[in-house]
Amino acid sequence: MQKRPVGRNKGVSRAEENIAVGNKWTMLSDEQKRPFFERAELERLEYEKLVEAYRKTDAYKQFKEKKEALIKERRRMSRRRKINGETNSDDEAEDVVAATQSDGIPIFSSQFLEYNKAQEMALKKLRQRSSSLEEENRLLKENITRLKANIAARKREQHAETDHTQELLRTKEKWASVITGALNGVLISGAPPVSKNIVAYMERLNYLVMEDPQHPVLVKVRAAVSGANFL
């Protein structure tokens, strides 16, 4: 809460000064008055928060206890004076009224100032913690962004690999179909080439080429291949 500057013109009474200030205030437009109203409202809200927080402190509890004790003592003394026919002094009467009717809080007491200082320190630490959390949140968002980019890249690579694998499978199936069609009448180990045994069939055929190039089966294979259409 900001403190308003206090100052008086020398040679000018308080009443005259108040009248001058009042005249200047009445000359202001609503738009010119608005900042003062807004500031007053902000300070009122801040004051109410401080008072509400102070009411929950041990200092306020002690103050209430002292005030109640003072009220009881003043009333006791007042009753005794009445019994003795004495009259309270003006100061004592004012003390009784103030103690009885006032629910004020010693805002400028050392307890309140210490409490307010502690609250400001706590708020400062809270702001520092908030700033630290914001930085951690920023770094976390950056990491999440990088992670999402890496995941997207891996998905693209996976899709490309899947497409490549499928293309290889289609090529394999195509050549298997061509080979089984061309070599349908050529038996190896008593079996013709089919899709289920095409790999084993070709391995056996390759073995014959390496071991016995003139094997009768190879003669049939050459004849079948020469007349096959591989386009």
Side-chain angles (χ1 to χ4, degrees):
M1 185 181 296
Q2 298 180 350
K3 293 184 178 180
R4 295 185 177 87
V6 178
R8 293 184 60 188
N9 296 325
K10 294 182 178 180
V12 179
S13 67
R14 175 70 69 181
E16 291 173 337
E17 192 175 67
N18 289 340
I19 292 173
V21 171
N23 290 335
K24 289 182 179 180
W25 175 256
T26 56
M27 294 174 63
L28 296 177
S29 65
D30 292 341
E31 190 63 27
Q32 290 173 320
K33 292 178 181 179
R34 185 189 304 277
F36 296 97
F37 286 126
E38 292 176 350
R39 177 178 173 183
E41 178 63 15
L42 290 175
E43 292 191 359
R44 183 186 68 80
L45 294 175
E46 184 179 357
Y47 171 79
E48 289 180 354
K49 289 181 181 179
L50 291 174
V51 170
E52 183 63 25
Y54 179 68
R55 288 179 186 273
K56 300 176 182 179
T57 63
D58 291 337
Y60 177 70
K61 182 179 179 181
Q62 294 173 3
F63 164 74
K64 292 287 289 184
E65 292 174 351
K66 290 180 180 179
K67 189 180 80 168
E68 291 173 0
L70 176 62
I71 292 173
K72 291 180 181 179
E73 178 64 18
R74 292 295 189 186
R75 287 176 176 172
R76 187 184 65 80
M77 293 175 63
S78 178
R79 286 194 297 269
R80 188 175 67 178
R81 286 192 174 91
K82 287 181 180 180
I83 293 174
N84 296 333
E86 299 176 1
T87 303
N88 292 334
S89 66
D90 292 340
D91 291 340
E92 290 175 344
E94 290 177 359
D95 288 342
V96 172
V97 173
T100 304
Q101 297 180 351
S102 174
D103 190 33
I105 300 173
I107 297 299
F108 299 105
S109 66
S110 60
Q111 296 95 331
F112 180 81
L113 294 177
E114 286 296 326
Y115 172 79
N116 192 33
K117 183 178 179 181
Q119 289 295 96
E120 290 178 354
M121 291 296 295
L123 180 59
K124 182 178 180 181
K125 291 181 179 179
L126 183 61
R127 286 173 176 168
Q128 291 175 345
R129 178 57 178 163
S130 177
S131 177
S132 176
L133 289 175
E134 287 178 356
E135 178 64 15
E136 292 177 5
N137 188 46
R138 184 186 66 80
L139 294 175
L140 181 60
K141 286 182 178 179
E142 290 181 356
N143 290 332
I144 291 175
T145 300
R146 285 195 293 268
L147 180 60
K148 287 182 177 180
N150 291 334
I151 291 174
R154 294 294 179 272
K155 285 184 177 180
R156 289 192 296 269
E157 293 176 0
Q158 184 178 10
H159 290 160
E161 188 66 25
T162 300
D163 293 341
H164 181 63
T165 301
Q166 290 177 348
E167 181 63 25
L168 291 176
L169 289 174
R170 286 192 293 269
T171 302
K172 176 185 175 182
E173 291 174 356
K174 175 183 176 181
W175 282 107
S177 177
V178 171
I179 292 172
T180 55
L183 304 179
N184 185 44
V186 181
L187 305 180
I188 296 181
S189 300
V194 293
S195 59
K196 291 183 179 180
N197 71 348
I198 188 64
V199 174
Y201 183 92
M202 294 303 296
E203 289 177 351
R204 180 60 179 166
L205 185 61
N206 184 62
Y207 174 79
L208 291 176
V209 171
M210 298 296 295
E211 296 296 327
D212 188 3
Q214 302 302 321
H215 194 282
V217 171
L218 296 180
V219 175
K220 293 180 180 181
V221 169
R222 293 189 185 97
V225 169
S226 63
N229 182 12
F230 291 98
L231 297 178

